[in-house]
Amino acid sequence: KKEKKEKTEKKVMMEKKSKKSKKVKKERPGAAEVNTSPGTKRHSGSERARTSPVPDTGTGSTGSSSSNSRGGAATPSVRGQSALPPHARVLAPMVGGSELAFRLLCRRYGADLCYTPMMYSEKYVADEGYRTAQFHTCAEDRPLVAHFCGNDPETLLAAGRLIQSQCDAIDLNLGCPQRIAHSGHFGSYLLDLADRPLVLRIVQTLATGLDIPVFCKIRLLETVPETVELCRQLAGAGCRLIAVHARYRGTATRRRDGPAHLDELAEVVSRLGTKFPCPILANGNVKSAADVTANIARTGADGIMSAEGLLDNPTLFDSLAPAAAPSTTATTQHATAMDEAGCSLGNGADDKAVKKLGKKLREVDRLASLDRELTPHEAAKVSKRGSLKKKLKRLGRADGATSTARRKAETGGGGAPPRAAGSNADDKVALAVEYLDLCDEHPSATLSSQIFHVRRMCKKELDMYQLLTECSTAQCATALRDILKRCADYIDGTTPFVYDPARDADAKEVADRRKAEVGKRKAYDSRMARKAKREGLAADHYVKLGRDPPTQADLAAIKLLGEPDRIPAWRAQFGQHCFGFHCAEGGCARDRACAFLHTDISREDPTWLQESTV
């Protein structure tokens, strides 16, 4: 009996060991399923939808920001095997829009990855002056993606090698739909099947020749299977991350087709599956933080790339980023200053209430100053003036203005309040001033770009106080600051705002004229497309004619001609470019609203201000 019992116990132990061994083998992943991103977990499509919409990626360049496991493993033949930078909240590349100062501003408010403006690879390699003028960065400007266009593998590789020590990835532009991309044969015009071998050769050349990862920014192709196949081919060639602008490629005459097709992108992501080696970024239809969360849940993408949304609100990602601990010292100093001034710090809810009531009261004052009979709705607003003032009085403020003592405590006796970097999320005017401060600290943005950003950030405030036209015509950064100061004084009640009906009428006239001029470009493209169709030619046949910009030598030759011969010669060679911009003294009077192309021949890339592509 004793021997029998020992045999039974031995058998049971052997069975347990066998089961344990089988379980370990079953749980051990294969080489293709290894996830090198620490602390991440694979999810099915339904599980992904239930995870945090924009997960915290931490700081530095380690790990993936995705809610699934895409991008964990590197292709064995790829040279740039370093871990991908965080990519949950991304500033898109914008010529004239994503320059250094604006990148730094977006980073302060939650963006964890930024792209440079588009740079021409050929010019970057050949011209040191172009490199100096186009690429600016600093220690705080990381992680950073250098965004290049081009169609020659070796030239792109040479450009990548020149810049790879100053950035964290190289991005190939396969999404630009602008006319200049059509004439230069880059961007979305490389996505035809005929160019697929070239595109894959470019990606493979960069992936095997650079020490940092290679990314691609693409657009949707005509069908979901085509887009899926493109993504798989790019990944197979060595691409490590793909940003998908969820609009179709368009043509030289049609670059936008309404809202982004997020449902189609969701289908692409679903078909690629969780084992697809590249993270996918969704680009399009983001105007608020709620859109970021909704788009991640809707598409299953690994991150959100935004352009237009961040131009309007650089703090778009602020509520989604990990909260930074407040500075105890700064808080204590501010509280002490307020106590000495005999003021109460108050709370955020009170401040917001004051701003809302002050805004309503200013609107009532504006209506009361109108020299006409008010509508019933307007009269009802004016009748509430007394109650608005009582509410403001209960909150300890008059007319929505900050008390003099509080203002002195916050400013140290005058000027704008000293704010910590990244603390102006709820104040668009202060945010614009913060951007201009960054422009002074890191000179990289032209005056045109500064005006553009200030207009986009503060459009509502500038329009309310009739400063929009003045902002658009500012002659220097100092004038911009003066406009913002006046706007801030109107908002906090330091200076009473007096509505000027004549000024408003002038601004409307200018806006209507510009709108009409901008429409001429579209009308021209449509006419040329119809003409080509009637003659049995390709739709973009006439759109191509006169597209190439003049050189300095061309301009010199045109100017040597007699007055009657100049314009005919210009139309024959450069019919789509503005004669006034290049040849008239003082330039083109229509400026950005001109229907013809304004191409600075010292930098032929169109700016985001001239042609928006998102």
Side-chain angles (χ1 to χ4, degrees):
K1 288 181 180 178
K2 187 176 180 181
E3 289 176 355
K4 188 176 181 180
K5 185 178 179 182
E6 288 176 352
K7 285 181 179 179
T8 303
E9 289 175 349
K10 190 175 181 180
K11 185 178 180 182
V12 170
M13 288 179 65
M14 292 294 290
E15 287 176 352
K16 285 183 177 179
K17 285 183 179 180
S18 178
K19 287 181 179 178
K20 188 175 181 181
S21 178
K22 288 179 179 178
K23 186 177 180 181
V24 170
K25 287 181 180 179
K26 186 177 181 181
E27 291 179 344
R28 186 179 296 125
E33 298 178 344
V34 173
N35 179 10
T36 60
S37 299
T40 58
K41 179 182 177 183
R42 294 185 179 280
H43 299 286
S44 65
S46 59
E47 287 173 330
R48 189 188 311 116
R50 293 194 295 269
T51 58
S52 174
V54 182
D56 175 19
T57 60
T59 58
S61 303
T62 59
S64 168
S65 64
S66 63
S67 58
N68 54 46
S69 61
R70 281 191 291 267
T75 306
S77 62
V78 173
R79 185 175 171 186
Q81 299 261 349
S82 58
L84 296 181
H87 47 265
R89 304 172 297 275
V90 184
L91 169 65
M94 295 175 283
V95 176
S98 61
E99 82 287 350
L100 174 59
F102 191 70
R103 293 199 301 268
L104 293 175
L105 183 68
C106 291
R107 290 182 191 280
R108 287 182 177 180
Y109 293 94
D112 58 13
L113 182 65
C114 295
Y115 283 56
T116 69
M118 182 185 76
M119 296 180 285
Y120 287 84
S121 56
E122 187 175 349
K123 291 182 181 179
Y124 197 87
V125 171
D127 187 351
E128 185 179 355
Y130 179 84
R131 293 197 293 272
T132 303
Q134 296 300 311
F135 180 67
H136 305 88
T137 189
C138 63
E140 297 81 19
D141 189 31
R142 302 294 284 270
L144 178 66
V145 180
H147 182 65
F148 281 102
C149 70
N151 55 26
D152 181 73
E154 294 305 321
T155 302
L156 281 158
L157 177 60
R161 284 175 172 167
L162 284 171
I163 204 173
Q164 65 178 348
S165 64
Q166 302 175 75
C167 62
D168 300 272
I170 299 294
D171 185 70
L172 176 62
N173 184 335
L174 295 174
C176 180
Q178 295 176 359
R179 291 185 289 269
I180 200 163
H182 181 267
S183 61
H185 194 58
F186 63 81
S188 65
Y189 302 101
L190 285 175
L191 293 180
D192 286 327
L193 277 175
D195 288 314
R196 192 63 50 82
L198 170 61
V199 168
L200 299 181
R201 192 163 70 251
I202 290 172
V203 174
Q204 189 174 30
T205 300
L206 295 176
T208 56
L210 297 176
D211 297 325
I212 56 176
V214 177
F215 297 171
C216 291
K217 188 172 188 294
I218 69 171
R219 287 192 169 224
L220 293 173
L221 299 185
E222 281 66 26
T223 66
V224 168
E226 288 179 277
T227 307
V228 170
E229 180 64 16
L230 171 63
C231 291
R232 286 175 176 160
Q233 289 175 334
L234 291 174
C239 179
R240 299 283 305 281
L241 179 146
I242 300 173
V244 183
H245 186 164
R247 290 185 175 89
Y248 298 116
R249 289 183 297 160
T251 65
T253 58
R254 179 180 62 82
R255 296 175 300 283
R256 290 182 69 96
D257 59 352
H261 306 288
L262 296 182
D263 290 334
E264 189 163 327
L265 176 57
E267 181 66 19
V268 170
V269 172
S270 176
R271 293 196 187 190
L272 290 172
T274 58
K275 293 184 180 180
F276 184 65
C278 292
I280 301 293
L281 303 185
N283 180 206
N285 289 12
V286 172
K287 294 184 178 179
S288 66
D291 290 336
V292 175
T293 304
N295 288 7
I296 285 285
R298 184 175 174 182
T299 63
D302 301 276
I304 287 290
M305 174 181 279
S306 175
E308 293 281 359
L310 285 170
L311 288 175
D312 290 330
N313 180 16
T315 70
L316 178 71
F317 293 137
D318 189 49
S319 62
L320 304 170
S327 169
T328 306
T329 304
T331 305
T332 304
Q333 290 174 347
H334 184 56
T336 303
M338 297 304 292
D339 289 340
E340 290 174 356
C343 303
S344 170
L345 278 169
N347 56 51
D350 283 348
D351 288 340
K352 287 183 179 179
V354 168
K355 284 183 180 179
K356 279 189 175 182
L357 290 170
K359 182 178 177 181
K360 288 181 180 179
L361 189 58
R362 288 190 295 276
E363 173 64 10
V364 166
D365 290 340
R366 184 187 73 82
L367 292 174
S369 68
L370 294 178
D371 188 21
R372 62 172 174 79
E373 186 177 351
L374 299 180
T375 66
H377 179 66
E378 290 171 338
K381 281 187 176 182
V382 173
S383 67
K384 294 178 181 178
R385 191 171 191 271
S387 62
L388 289 174
K389 284 206 165 190
K390 286 180 182 178
K391 288 180 181 179
L392 282 168
K393 191 174 181 181
R394 283 199 297 271
L395 289 170
R397 319 275 179 91
D399 297 330
T402 306
S403 67
T404 304
R406 180 184 176 95
R407 188 177 182 85
K408 286 182 178 179
E410 291 179 338
T411 63
R419 300 177 184 269
S423 64
N424 295 317
D426 297 325
D427 188 337
K428 289 294 185 67
V429 175
L431 190 67
V433 172
E434 186 178 349
Y435 165 71
L436 293 179
D437 289 342
L438 286 168
C439 289
D440 290 344
E441 187 179 348
H442 305 278
S444 59
T446 62
L447 177 61
S448 182
S449 289
Q450 292 180 45
I451 291 172
F452 173 69
H453 280 304
V454 169
R455 277 175 54 93
R456 289 295 293 256
M457 284 185 235
C458 305
K459 185 175 181 180
K460 184 177 179 181
E461 291 79 5
L462 292 170
D463 189 43
M464 177 183 292
Y465 297 111
Q466 300 181 296
L467 294 171
L468 201 55
T469 302
E470 191 173 343
C471 176
S472 301
T473 56
Q475 298 299 307
C476 61
T478 303
L480 269 182
R481 286 183 179 276
D482 178 64
I483 291 167
L484 290 173
K485 184 180 183 304
R486 284 155 55 197
C487 191
D489 288 343
Y490 289 144
I491 290 172
D492 67 16
T494 304
T495 303
F497 171 68
V498 179
Y499 177 72
D500 184 352
R503 195 173 186 180
D504 219 20
D506 291 342
K508 187 177 184 305
E509 183 181 345
V510 170
D512 290 343
R513 186 169 63 250
R514 285 187 176 178
K515 186 176 179 180
E517 294 289 351
V518 169
K520 290 181 181 179
R521 180 74 234 181
K522 292 183 178 179
Y524 172 82
D525 286 345
S526 298
R527 287 199 310 273
M528 294 302 101
R530 290 195 298 271
K531 181 178 179 181
K533 185 177 180 181
R534 286 195 304 268
E535 297 176 6
L537 301 171
D540 59 353
H541 174 77
Y542 288 109
V543 176
K544 290 181 181 178
L545 298 179
R547 178 76 65 187
D548 294 336
T551 64
Q552 292 286 1
D554 293 328
L555 290 182
I558 291 286
K559 290 176 180 178
L560 288 174
L561 296 175
E563 194 70 32
D565 300 325
R566 285 184 184 178
I567 292 181
W570 181 270
R571 286 176 178 170
Q573 298 178 68
F574 315 110
Q576 298 199 43
H577 293 267
C578 178
F579 177 82
F581 177 78
H582 290 284
C583 300
E585 190 173 346
C588 176
R590 295 190 180 96
D591 197 22
R592 292 183 217 158
C594 181
F596 292 92
L597 298 177
H598 284 197
T599 304
D600 184 348
I601 57 177
S602 64
R603 51 168 280 180
E604 296 172 12
D605 48 306
T607 70
W608 188 265
L609 285 59
Q610 293 166 336
E611 293 190 76
S612 175
T613 63
V614 169

